[in-house]
Amino acid sequence: MEYTFGSTEELLEFLNEELLSAAEAAEVLEISKVRLGKLVKDGKLIAAKEQPKMFLKSMLIEKKDELEALRKKFRPYDE
């Protein structure tokens, strides 16, 4: 995906809305921070920034949909 910004203010607004910390990412995905770290280590989730780890919200929402589908498939008793 490619992004274009007309001004510094637009860029800063985008970053403020789209970049999430590791704690926020874990909350969005409804997983622990340890599980989040494992997803990153296994290459199943890419951090937008390494230190401190930051994630793009759009990527997290895609991963959340994937994780929810897997939960339904492998943990049907949770529903």
Side-chain angles (χ1 to χ4, degrees):
M1 185 173 285
E2 188 173 316
Y3 300 98
T4 304
F5 303 100
S7 67
T8 301
E9 289 78 20
E10 285 181 18
L11 171 61
L12 292 173
E13 183 179 333
F14 171 82
L15 293 174
N16 190 46
E17 291 177 13
E18 291 296 317
L19 280 181
L20 299 178
S21 69
E24 292 168 322
E27 188 176 318
V28 166
L29 295 175
E30 299 176 15
I31 59 175
S32 69
K33 288 196 310 186
V34 172
R35 175 75 174 120
L36 180 72
K38 177 108 172 85
L39 288 172
V40 172
K41 182 179 177 185
D42 292 347
K44 295 179 179 177
L45 184 63
I46 299 169
K49 183 174 186 251
E50 282 302 314
Q51 290 298 325
K53 287 214 184 310
M54 301 294 284
F55 300 88
L56 284 176
K57 188 187 290 185
S58 57
M59 291 176 70
L60 293 173
I61 291 173
E62 287 177 20
K63 181 56 73 173
K64 181 177 182 176
D65 292 342
E66 179 185 324
L67 292 176
E68 286 176 352
L70 289 171
R71 283 185 196 118
K72 285 180 182 176
K73 181 177 180 180
F74 293 107
R75 298 177 68 180
Y77 49 82
D78 282 351
E79 292 184 358

